[in-house]
Amino acid sequence: MHQASRTLIQADHISKTYGRGTNAFTALSEVSLGVHEGETIAIVGKSGSGKSTLMHILALLDSPTAGVLSVNGKLASDMSSRDLARLRNQTFGFVFQQFFLNASSSVLDNVMLPLKIAGMGRRQRKQRALEVLEQVDLADKAKANAGDLSGGQKQRVVIARALVNDPKIIFADEPTGNLDSATGQLVENLLFRLNSERGITLVIVTHDADLARRCNRQVFIKDGQIATPVRRVTI
Amino acid sequence: MKLFDIISTASTNTFRSKLRTILTILAIFIGAFTLTLTTGLGKGISHYIDDQLGSLGAEDVLLIMPTTDNGFSSPNDPPKTYDATKKTQNIESEGNRTIALMTEADLEKFRKIDGIESVTAYRQAAMDYVSGPNNQKLVGNLNLLLDGEKHATEVGQMPTNDSDVPQMMIPSNYAKALGFTDAGASVNQQITIGLTNGRGDAVTLAIANVGVSQKSILTSGFIYVNQAAMNKLVTLQNQGAPDSVSKYFQVATARLKSELPASKLTQVKADLKKLGFDGMTVQDQIGVIKTVINGIIAVLNGFAIIALLAAGFGIINTLLMSVQERTKEIGLMKAMGMNSGKIFLLFSFEAVILGFWGSFLGVMFAVATGFGINQILMNGLLKDLSGLQPLSFTLQSVAPIVAIVMGLAFAAGTLPAIRASRQDPINSLRYE
Ligand SMILES: Nc1ncnc2c1ncn2[C@@H]1O[C@H](COP(=O)(O)OP(=O)(O)OP(=O)(O)O)[C@@H](O)[C@H]1O
Ligand SMILES: [Mg+2]
């Protein structure tokens, strides 16, 4: 349904080596991957295989030691740190496994954070944050302390925060890893609904086979390399 | 992120760890409190000196003397009783003015110095004692009131050189000691001055007391008489003395040319020095005292600044902990597009906010304490020193302290703030 659409991110022969000399460890080697507008990609593999590393590089959070990365046709290496920051702020949304919520501030404040960073005015960002909280069914918890929520609620807050800037792509690292299967299902449904209703591209790191299967395609990573050719699944 | 949001976020973050923040603020508070009090003390004292001595003489008048004058004794000491057997010693110990002489020839030399407009010389008699209604003989420091010299009076007026009638003014603590019921009762009364003439005989002269000077540390024990009184006293003292004595003068004043530049004044003083005389303006006389006091205040301020520096390390420590604790948060903000400069500002402002609260509260508390101390001292220990407000605060003296501490806090915050701004988002997010 989203075939042949525009390439958002193109990674060519990406390698990532941590450390130097005898301590050097190659977490990724020669990985090439394209992320197309509107698709859903699952990055799967064993623990330590390099999934998170790949996602971080695709999301411009980390830079590869070798290889070329371009976003919207522009080379990442040509972008200034300011451009990178703006791109992350306006085009990307992040969902991390450990939530990374500020436990002592309100749900609303947490969701507003990307807007605050973007420099949006107080009233506007409050309104926008309430809108997305509505979408994840948490409007009634807006004033609650983020630390007081249940795991599933927290993950929905994180998704709301990822959504609030109206991103083109959401990167999710083990979005259901910390949740029981029922709540995990809920969060999964929410993410896929965003994809089908609003065309938001999803890049999901997971070792949950069911979740991987729901994606348009799966990228298998083994010891830092793509294990099998990219396989397209039509849903 | 907008500047306003950065400041308000920093402000919220500052008070996230309340106990730690309060302790850090307390350290800054102590430093700022001490600094405010010590500078207030310095200001209070220097105000007092300016008030008391600033009026001692006209600005363009140079007092010329062969020796230095040193008029220090406590105003709270009772005047000492005259003891005839100790006459010479009394003059030496009490008469801080050593009687040294200058001749008409010297005056001529002064007049030739470039920058000096005119020179007036005065003869001064050495007083043995002063006595009043109760016939107590008290020692004192007899001084001729120079033209342009002014003193605050408690009651009555200052003697004036315009009058041909001999006039005098006694210090506040002499009124009762001489046998008057109070200072007011001594005004327009005759007071006797005793001296020794050239033949060695004790002679006296009664002079009308026109006023009582305010108590002051600087002119304690100084009895002022006008020119007419001094002339009579000198004539009395010189009776029976060889004629040569009347050729000598004890003090001379030089009126300087108007608008004399400072360099020129220095030259005039150097020229006088070559002739063996010291020339002092009122400013010089104040300057000596002020230098000593400023030195003491500087040492006190030094202690306060050491306390502030220690507090600065407290700020560094607090913020380093805070950066450590918030590693993930910093990583997250960076991942969401916050640039390093703003992360730096976020932590810097936190330091500045700590500095602001510490110094603001410290200064406020010091000012309140200062007013309390002033009240207590002015009604107690320093009751008799009219015009002395030991601690003086103005917005101009206190605001810079807050500004300086905030600057110091900013400087202390740079190390943690740079550390925060340099954090790699990925490492921060992996941080457990
Ligand atoms: N900063 C680093 N320094 C050294 N090695 C690192 C660093 N970050 C990651 N690695 C290594 O790179 C490899 C890939 O790590 P990565 O986090 O991408 O794994 P992963 O596939 O996401 O695993 P998991 O499923 O457990 O999250 C691991 O072996 C890890 O130890
Ligand atoms: Mg991982």
Side-chain angles (χ1 to χ4, degrees):
Chain A
M1 123 192 190
H2 294 293
Q3 291 95 328
S5 49
R6 200 160 67 89
T7 303
L8 285 176
I9 301 173
Q10 183 61 50
D12 286 317
H13 306 289
I14 296 286
S15 296
K16 177 75 184 179
T17 306
Y18 290 111
R20 271 169 200 207
T22 50
N23 282 331
F25 176 79
T26 303
L28 279 183
S29 68
E30 297 281 330
V31 173
S32 297
L33 178 70
V35 178
H36 308 288
E37 194 165 18
E39 72 172 340
T40 53
I41 301 181
I43 300 174
V44 259
K46 274 199 238 146
S47 177
S49 55
K51 307 183 294 290
S52 296
T53 305
L54 176 60
M55 190 197 94
H56 292 151
I57 289 174
L58 292 176
L60 302 174
L61 288 171
D62 206 353
S63 49
T65 3
V68 180
L69 191 84
S70 56
V71 179
N72 290 327
K74 265 175 81 180
L75 284 180
S77 52
D78 287 349
M79 291 189 226
S80 69
S81 63
R82 190 173 282 267
D83 291 339
L84 287 177
R86 189 175 314 122
L87 193 70
R88 284 204 300 259
N89 184 258
Q90 291 172 4
T91 314
F92 298 167
F94 296 99
V95 175
F96 297 101
Q97 185 174 358
Q98 300 105 314
F99 310 133
F100 293 134
L101 287 172
N102 186 351
S104 61
S105 42
S106 71
V107 166
L108 189 68
D109 280 340
N110 271 287
V111 174
M112 288 193 304
L113 186 58
L115 300 177
K116 197 158 144 185
I117 290 171
M120 189 183 274
R122 193 166 173 77
R123 253 161 117 217
Q124 242 184 313
R125 68 184 185 231
K126 192 169 172 184
Q127 194 188 340
R128 174 79 190 122
L130 284 171
E131 268 171 43
V132 289
L133 278 173
E134 194 83 51
Q135 287 170 34
V136 299
D137 228 2
L138 276 176
D140 55 325
K141 292 281 183 191
K143 293 227 160 62
N145 248 356
D148 299 339
L149 301 184
S150 74
Q153 287 171 329
K154 277 182 190 161
Q155 196 62 299
R156 270 143 67 201
V157 174
V158 172
I159 292 172
R161 186 178 64 191
L163 271 180
V164 79
N165 261 346
D166 218 352
K168 285 212 164 61
I169 310 177
I170 288 180
F171 293 95
D173 196 347
E174 316 257 13
T176 57
N178 264 346
L179 307 174
D180 63 70
S181 53
T183 347
Q185 198 65 38
L186 213 84
V187 168
E188 249 178 72
N189 291 342
L190 178 61
L191 285 171
F192 283 100
R193 205 171 67 226
L194 289 171
N195 173 255
S196 57
E197 286 175 7
R198 299 179 36 193
I200 294 177
T201 309
L202 298 178
V203 176
I204 302 172
V205 170
T206 184
H207 47 231
D208 177 346
D210 289 336
L211 172 55
R213 224 171 290 124
R214 283 185 72 175
C215 293
N216 300 144
R217 52 183 179 133
Q218 292 78 31
V219 177
F220 290 96
I221 304 284
K222 197 183 174 209
D223 296 335
Q225 284 174 309
I226 294 186
T228 48
V230 176
R231 181 160 57 92
R232 254 182 199 286
V233 176
T234 359
I235 300 173
Chain B
M1 202 185 251
K2 284 187 181 146
L3 193 64
F4 172 80
D5 284 328
I6 294 179
I7 295 172
S8 73
T9 307
S11 181
T12 314
N13 288 346
T14 307
F15 293 97
R16 246 200 245 176
S17 174
K18 287 197 182 60
L19 182 62
R20 197 170 66 201
T21 300
I22 288 169
L23 289 175
T24 312
I25 287 180
L26 194 64
I28 305 164
F29 173 95
I30 292 168
F33 176 79
T34 318
L35 188 59
T36 310
L37 280 187
T38 53
T39 51
L41 185 66
K43 254 190 124 52
I45 293 177
S46 81
H47 272 194
Y48 177 68
I49 293 171
D50 285 346
D51 282 359
Q52 295 287 316
L53 263 183
S55 52
L56 267 186
E59 291 210 348
D60 54 350
V61 170
L62 207 56
L63 186 67
I64 303 174
M65 280 183 305
T67 49
T68 32
D69 178 276
N70 153 23
F72 257 108
S73 79
S74 167
N76 288 317
D77 289 346
K80 289 166 192 144
T81 318
Y82 172 64
D83 178 351
T85 60
K86 284 189 189 168
K87 188 179 72 187
T88 46
Q89 276 172 339
N90 277 338
I91 290 168
E92 272 170 21
S93 68
E94 269 307 305
N96 296 316
R97 206 167 284 229
T98 311
I99 308 296
L101 309 165
M102 40 188 125
T103 62
E104 191 62 47
D106 290 322
L107 303 184
E108 233 10 84
K109 284 183 206 154
F110 300 159
R111 288 190 182 104
K112 288 205 186 89
I113 293 173
D114 185 23
I116 289 182
E117 179 90 29
S118 64
V119 177
T120 319
Y122 304 93
R123 290 194 175 86
Q124 208 155 2
M127 177 189 97
D128 288 338
Y129 63 86
V130 59
S131 82
N134 64 3
N135 289 325
Q136 281 276 353
K137 291 176 176 175
L138 309 176
V139 296
N141 199 329
L142 184 67
N143 281 268
L144 170 64
L145 193 80
L146 303 178
D147 288 339
E149 191 170 340
K150 283 193 227 97
H151 295 278
T153 54
E154 197 174 305
V155 285
Q157 282 124 30
M158 283 205 321
T160 162
N161 287 340
D162 296 338
S163 168
D164 293 334
V165 181
Q167 294 178 335
M168 74 185 291
M169 174 170 75
I170 54 171
S172 153
N173 53 344
Y174 274 63
K176 274 196 175 159
L178 289 171
F180 297 103
T181 48
D182 58 21
S186 72
V187 176
N188 295 328
Q189 298 301 311
Q190 297 287 315
I191 292 175
T192 306
I193 286 189
L195 24 72
T196 310
N197 71 9
R199 282 186 291 270
D201 301 334
V203 287
T204 59
L205 179 72
I207 302 172
N209 181 49
V210 294
V212 175
S213 61
Q214 249 183 23
K215 213 174 221 190
S216 152
I217 305 172
L218 304 161
T219 56
S220 136
F222 281 30
I223 295 164
Y224 286 97
V225 296
N226 68 353
Q227 188 71 61
M230 190 54 96
N231 287 344
K232 282 203 165 182
L233 288 168
V234 169
T235 312
L236 261 181
Q237 188 147 55
N238 288 351
Q239 271 172 6
D243 277 354
S244 60
V245 170
S246 56
K247 287 195 301 215
Y248 294 110
F249 302 94
Q250 279 83 23
V251 198
T253 57
R255 192 162 282 277
L256 298 165
K257 292 212 169 85
S258 61
E259 318 254 316
L260 201 69
S263 58
K264 197 79 199 187
L265 181 60
T266 316
Q267 187 55 47
V268 170
K269 286 183 197 163
D271 290 345
L272 283 169
K273 196 97 198 161
K274 261 185 252 158
L275 298 172
F277 295 90
D278 282 331
M280 280 179 113
T281 60
V282 175
Q283 246 51 45
D284 293 335
Q285 297 172 48
I286 301 174
V288 176
I289 300 163
K290 270 200 168 172
T291 309
V292 173
I293 287 167
N294 286 346
I296 296 168
I297 298 295
V299 170
L300 292 178
N301 284 349
F303 287 125
I305 286 164
I306 288 170
L308 278 176
L309 284 180
F313 285 100
I315 295 177
I316 298 180
N317 215 4
T318 303
L319 286 183
L320 281 178
M321 273 170 155
S322 163
V323 170
Q324 185 84 355
E325 276 169 11
R326 304 219 296 266
T327 305
K328 282 189 180 173
E329 196 184 319
I330 296 164
L332 181 74
M333 287 196 290
K334 283 196 146 187
M336 294 193 305
M338 179 122 157
N339 64 39
S340 303
K342 293 200 168 146
I343 299 270
F344 175 86
L345 280 185
L346 194 60
F347 281 89
S348 291
F349 276 130
E350 218 175 289
V352 172
I353 289 165
L354 287 172
F356 170 77
W357 282 113
S359 59
F360 177 76
L361 294 175
V363 163
M364 286 320 225
F365 202 72
V367 170
T369 310
F371 279 121
I373 291 176
N374 277 349
Q375 286 310 314
I376 292 167
L377 287 183
M378 282 158 74
N379 293 326
L381 204 59
L382 304 176
K383 196 171 175 178
D384 300 325
L385 279 182
S386 13
L388 175 57
Q389 196 175 341
L391 294 152
S392 156
F393 307 100
T394 57
L395 189 63
Q396 288 96 323
S397 73
V398 145
I401 294 177
V402 178
I404 287 168
V405 173
M406 283 169 75
L408 186 92
F410 177 81
T414 49
L415 175 71
I418 286 174
R419 190 172 268 204
S421 71
R422 292 225 177 118
Q423 264 176 22
D424 181 4
I426 284 307
N427 285 337
S428 311
L429 290 175
R430 278 187 192 272
Y431 178 85
E432 303 295 335

